[in-house]
PDB file of all heavy atoms in Angstrom:
ATOM      1  N   TYR D  62     -18.261  15.159  23.126  1.00 97.00           N
ATOM      2  CA  TYR D  62     -18.093  15.949  21.898  1.00 97.00           C
ATOM      3  C   TYR D  62     -16.942  16.940  22.032  1.00 97.00           C
ATOM      4  O   TYR D  62     -16.064  17.006  21.146  1.00 97.00           O
ATOM      5  CB  TYR D  62     -19.381  16.703  21.562  1.00 97.00           C
ATOM      6  CG  TYR D  62     -19.187  17.665  20.406  1.00 97.00           C
ATOM      7  CD1 TYR D  62     -19.207  17.219  19.090  1.00 97.00           C
ATOM      8  CD2 TYR D  62     -18.943  19.021  20.649  1.00 97.00           C
ATOM      9  CE1 TYR D  62     -18.996  18.088  18.033  1.00 97.00           C
ATOM     10  CE2 TYR D  62     -18.730  19.899  19.603  1.00 97.00           C
ATOM     11  CZ  TYR D  62     -18.754  19.431  18.299  1.00 97.00           C
ATOM     12  OH  TYR D  62     -18.524  20.298  17.259  1.00 97.00           O
ATOM     13  N   GLU D 135     -26.789  15.253  22.875  1.00 96.00           N
ATOM     14  CA  GLU D 135     -25.801  16.111  22.220  1.00 96.00           C
ATOM     15  C   GLU D 135     -25.842  15.871  20.707  1.00 96.00           C
ATOM     16  O   GLU D 135     -25.140  15.004  20.167  1.00 96.00           O
ATOM     17  CB  GLU D 135     -24.392  15.814  22.763  1.00 96.00           C
ATOM     18  CG  GLU D 135     -23.276  16.637  22.143  1.00 96.00           C
ATOM     19  CD  GLU D 135     -23.576  18.122  22.132  1.00 96.00           C
ATOM     20  OE1 GLU D 135     -23.338  18.775  23.160  1.00 96.00           O
ATOM     21  OE2 GLU D 135     -24.055  18.618  21.081  1.00 96.00           O
ATOM     22  N   PRO D 136     -26.689  16.630  19.982  1.00 96.00           N
ATOM     23  CA  PRO D 136     -26.849  16.415  18.531  1.00 96.00           C
ATOM     24  C   PRO D 136     -25.551  16.624  17.744  1.00 96.00           C
ATOM     25  O   PRO D 136     -25.402  16.079  16.647  1.00 96.00           O
ATOM     26  CB  PRO D 136     -27.923  17.429  18.135  1.00 96.00           C
ATOM     27  CG  PRO D 136     -27.984  18.422  19.245  1.00 96.00           C
ATOM     28  CD  PRO D 136     -27.576  17.691  20.479  1.00 96.00           C
ATOM     29  N   ARG D 137     -24.600  17.389  18.288  1.00 97.00           N
ATOM     30  CA  ARG D 137     -23.345  17.610  17.564  1.00 97.00           C
ATOM     31  C   ARG D 137     -22.534  16.324  17.425  1.00 97.00           C
ATOM     32  O   ARG D 137     -21.653  16.228  16.550  1.00 97.00           O
ATOM     33  CB  ARG D 137     -22.510  18.678  18.266  1.00 97.00           C
ATOM     34  CG  ARG D 137     -23.093  20.087  18.174  1.00 97.00           C
ATOM     35  CD  ARG D 137     -22.226  21.086  18.933  1.00 97.00           C
ATOM     36  NE  ARG D 137     -22.147  20.786  20.364  1.00 97.00           N
ATOM     37  CZ  ARG D 137     -21.381  21.453  21.219  1.00 97.00           C
ATOM     38  NH1 ARG D 137     -20.622  22.463  20.791  1.00 97.00           N
ATOM     39  NH2 ARG D 137     -21.373  21.126  22.507  1.00 97.00           N
ATOM     40  N   LEU D 138     -22.814  15.317  18.255  1.00 97.00           N
ATOM     41  CA  LEU D 138     -22.110  14.036  18.142  1.00 97.00           C
ATOM     42  C   LEU D 138     -22.461  13.306  16.850  1.00 97.00           C
ATOM     43  O   LEU D 138     -21.782  12.345  16.473  1.00 97.00           O
ATOM     44  CB  LEU D 138     -22.438  13.142  19.335  1.00 97.00           C
ATOM     45  CG  LEU D 138     -21.698  13.456  20.638  1.00 97.00           C
ATOM     46  CD1 LEU D 138     -22.241  12.594  21.780  1.00 97.00           C
ATOM     47  CD2 LEU D 138     -20.202  13.236  20.475  1.00 97.00           C
ATOM     48  N   LYS D 139     -23.508  13.763  16.167  1.00 95.00           N
ATOM     49  CA  LYS D 139     -23.866  13.155  14.880  1.00 95.00           C
ATOM     50  C   LYS D 139     -22.698  13.239  13.898  1.00 95.00           C
ATOM     51  O   LYS D 139     -22.514  12.373  13.054  1.00 95.00           O
ATOM     52  CB  LYS D 139     -25.108  13.851  14.308  1.00 95.00           C
ATOM     53  CG  LYS D 139     -25.635  13.200  13.042  1.00 95.00           C
ATOM     54  CD  LYS D 139     -26.911  13.897  12.556  1.00 95.00           C
ATOM     55  CE  LYS D 139     -27.442  13.224  11.285  1.00 95.00           C
ATOM     56  NZ  LYS D 139     -28.674  13.901  10.785  1.00 95.00           N
ATOM     57  N   ASN D 140     -21.901  14.313  14.037  1.00 94.00           N
ATOM     58  CA  ASN D 140     -20.734  14.471  13.154  1.00 94.00           C
ATOM     59  C   ASN D 140     -19.714  13.352  13.361  1.00 94.00           C
ATOM     60  O   ASN D 140     -18.901  13.073  12.482  1.00 94.00           O
ATOM     61  CB  ASN D 140     -20.055  15.820  13.419  1.00 94.00           C
ATOM     62  CG  ASN D 140     -20.941  16.994  13.091  1.00 94.00           C
ATOM     63  OD1 ASN D 140     -21.798  16.902  12.224  1.00 94.00           O
ATOM     64  ND2 ASN D 140     -20.765  18.097  13.802  1.00 94.00           N
TER      65      ASN D 140
END
Side-chain angles (χ1 to χ4, degrees):
Y62 173 80
E135 179 50 83
R137 291 178 298 175
L138 281 173
K139 186 177 181 181
N140 296 331

